[in-house]
């Protein structure tokens, strides 16, 4: 399973940072791999939200169907996206910091066996994709990437 984690420090308040991060439609503002996001269920962010997220990687476009599986406002939420044979689990957590707020973004990309044998090769590419998203997130939050 390929994994990625980054932390961004921002001067935004916890509620403001959570509001921005919990709206999956904002992913296209900070993740260069996201082409578009369409909410297909629910009314804005929340536990009943479902999104179709169009991603582009290496010229290939894939639509992941993401469902919010946990939502604890304004602390954290988890979304799980599926596009055969991939399952992407993304977790966003927001916590107060002396200088504002720290946003943690963690993602896991899983594939079933025998495709999972390619996880080592996938991890390198996933790190590149994650780093580009972390840079975009730091910019969108007017923050600093805590490496």
């Amino acid at each position: 399973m390929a994994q990625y984690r980054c932390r961004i420090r921002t001067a935004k308040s916890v509620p403001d940072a959570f509001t921005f991060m919990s709206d999956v439609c904002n992913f296209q503002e900070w993740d260069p791999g996201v082409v578009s996001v369409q909410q297909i269920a629910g009314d804005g962010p929340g536990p009943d939200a479902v999104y179709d997220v169009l991603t582009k990687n290496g010229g290939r476009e894939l639509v992941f169907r993401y469902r919010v599986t946990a939502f604890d406002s304004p602390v954290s939420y988890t979304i799980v996206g599926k596009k055969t044979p991939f399952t992407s689990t993304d977790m966003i957590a927001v916590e107060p910091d002396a200088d504002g707020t720290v946003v943690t973004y963690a993602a896991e990309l899983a594939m079933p066996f025998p495709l999972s044998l390619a996880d080592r090769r996938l991890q390198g590419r996933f790190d590149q994709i994650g780093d580009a998203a972390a840079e975009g997130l730091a910019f969108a939050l007017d923050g600093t990437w805590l490496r």
Side-chain angles (χ1 to χ4, degrees):
M1 174 179 329
Q3 300 177 347
Y4 187 82
R5 182 177 183 267
C6 71
R7 297 176 73 226
I8 309 294
R9 178 177 285 132
T10 178
K12 293 185 182 300
S13 68
V14 167
D16 287 347
F18 187 83
T19 296
F20 178 77
M21 293 303 299
S22 66
D23 187 348
V24 176
C25 292
N26 289 332
F27 278 32
Q28 67 191 34
E29 289 184 34
W30 57 268
D31 187 340
V34 174
V35 176
S36 66
V37 179
Q38 179 181 9
Q39 186 164 6
I40 60 167
D43 184 19
D48 58 347
V50 179
Y51 303 86
D52 280 345
V53 179
L54 175 62
T55 64
K56 186 172 185 177
N57 181 13
R60 186 173 174 204
E61 292 187 346
L62 297 172
V63 176
F64 281 78
R65 169 79 37 100
Y66 275 94
R67 296 181 186 281
V68 175
T69 59
F71 195 84
D72 183 14
S73 178
V75 178
S76 66
Y77 77 98
T78 302
I79 55 174
V80 176
K82 295 185 182 263
K83 171 63 179 165
T84 303
F86 302 105
T87 299
S88 178
T89 302
D90 297 28
M91 187 278 304
I92 291 86
V94 179
E95 60 187 325
D97 181 70
D99 298 323
T101 299
V102 172
V103 173
T104 301
Y105 173 76
E108 296 179 348
L109 187 61
M111 297 180 294
F113 184 82
L115 295 174
S116 61
L117 297 174
D119 277 349
R120 288 185 187 181
R121 288 190 313 215
L122 179 61
Q123 183 65 57
R125 182 65 185 131
F126 202 52
D127 286 341
Q128 292 173 339
I129 292 167
D131 285 351
E135 287 179 12
L137 185 54
F139 182 80
L141 292 172
D142 195 24
T144 304
W145 182 6
L146 303 173
R147 296 181 190 240

